[in-house]
Amino acid sequence: GAVVSQHPSWVICKSGTSVKIECRSLDFQATTMFWYRQFPKQSLMLMATSNEGSKATYEQGVEKDKFLINHASLTLSTLTVTSAHPEDSSFYICSASPLAKNIQYFGAGTRLSVL
Amino acid sequence: GEDVEQSLFLSVREGDSSVINCTYTDSSSTYLYWYKQEPGAGLQLLTYIFSNMDMKQDQRLTVLLNKKDKHLSLRIADTQTGDSAIYFCAESNNGQNFVFGPGTRLSVLP
């Protein structure tokens, strides 16, 4: 149980294009999903907290117009990196928290490479 | 703000026990977690402990919590090569906002 699916696992795109990453909780409902960014050999950096049916809460320094988050249902949140540039290249990981449980289950991550 | 510290590297021989240590600063931490990350993958929840506990054992894993010293450890008994990974300690005071440590890279030598 408690499986979080993240798709795609790896994406290469040209500079200036937009990329959408999906995060799905497969066997549980999640009112809250989280989006993290991880640089090589570093820990996770929380980008935003996404609550179903409401606007995401972004961490300081994260551009909300650059990283669009949508959490339309209790099992799906999406992160769209708009007008991606090489500096956006990174490993993006989502997590989901089941209702009334104080645990985050993580997706497998998406490696974004912007050329 | 809250901070979580871990040593960055640990090497052990296959079959030995590994002990990964973590310290945190938030005295109101209620939940403490250990996650494992293999190369190119997401984080896998290994175990977690509530702050009103001082020990939790799950098969080869033993978590010890010293709340007074704000010190958490993860012991892996009979360490195997498949245990080689990065181990992240995390704390939360509300079960929603997690603060992660920098991760400890465990290398298991044959």
Side-chain angles (χ1 to χ4, degrees):
Chain A
V3 178
V4 175
S5 170
Q6 191 172 338
H7 179 81
S9 56
W10 191 13
V11 58
I12 302 173
C13 69
K14 288 184 177 180
S15 188
T17 59
S18 295
V19 173
K20 181 188 279 190
I21 303 169
E22 290 189 350
C23 181
R24 292 181 186 272
S25 55
L26 296 186
D27 51 2
F28 65 95
Q29 292 185 324
T31 49
T32 307
M33 290 186 171
F34 304 84
W35 287 97
Y36 294 85
R37 185 171 177 176
Q38 186 180 33
F39 292 101
K41 298 185 180 179
Q42 292 191 26
S43 190
L44 283 73
M45 181 191 80
L46 180 65
M47 298 174 65
T49 302
S50 164
N51 290 295
E52 185 262 339
S54 63
K55 289 184 179 180
T57 302
Y58 289 82
E59 295 299 300
Q60 193 172 7
V62 177
E63 300 174 58
K64 56 184 70 174
D65 295 331
K66 173 80 171 171
F67 299 100
L68 299 179
I69 291 173
N70 184 279
H71 191 160
S73 76
L74 285 173
T75 59
L76 173 64
S77 176
T78 60
L79 168 69
T80 301
V81 183
T82 62
S83 186
H85 287 96
E87 58 266 29
D88 299 323
S89 298
S90 192
F91 193 56
Y92 294 86
I93 309 178
C94 74
S95 71
S97 190
L99 297 176
K101 288 194 84 174
N102 303 307
I103 296 174
Q104 290 185 30
Y105 295 100
F106 284 80
T110 297
R111 185 164 303 282
L112 172 63
S113 299
V114 185
L115 306 177
Chain B
E2 300 89 355
D3 194 22
V4 177
E5 296 291 334
Q6 298 175 243
S7 52
L8 297 182
F9 301 97
L10 176 65
S11 290
V12 298
R13 293 223 172 264
E14 193 173 13
D16 288 350
S17 291
S18 309
V19 178
I20 303 171
N21 293 301
C22 170
T23 58
Y24 57 96
T25 58
D26 187 359
S27 56
S28 62
S29 291
T30 307
Y31 313 96
L32 296 129
Y33 310 84
W34 284 105
Y35 284 88
K36 175 183 179 183
Q37 185 180 35
E38 298 188 35
L43 273 66
Q44 173 196 354
L45 177 66
L46 288 179
T47 187
Y48 62 96
I49 191 170
F50 296 113
S51 60
N52 60 359
M53 300 164 67
D54 50 25
M55 188 185 94
K56 182 176 180 181
Q57 186 157 3
D58 183 2
Q59 299 182 331
R60 291 192 297 124
L61 305 179
T62 303
V63 178
L64 294 178
L65 174 61
N66 181 327
K67 196 174 177 184
K68 175 175 167 289
D69 294 339
K70 300 192 192 69
H71 181 267
L72 183 74
S73 68
L74 173 69
R75 179 176 180 270
I76 306 172
D78 187 25
T79 313
Q80 302 297 307
T81 54
D83 295 323
S84 293
I86 300 176
Y87 291 80
F88 289 95
C89 167
E91 64 88 12
S92 176
N93 58 17
N94 61 7
Q96 293 288 296
N97 301 317
F98 282 35
V99 179
F100 287 88
T104 299
R105 185 177 296 274
L106 174 65
S107 299
V108 182
L109 309 174

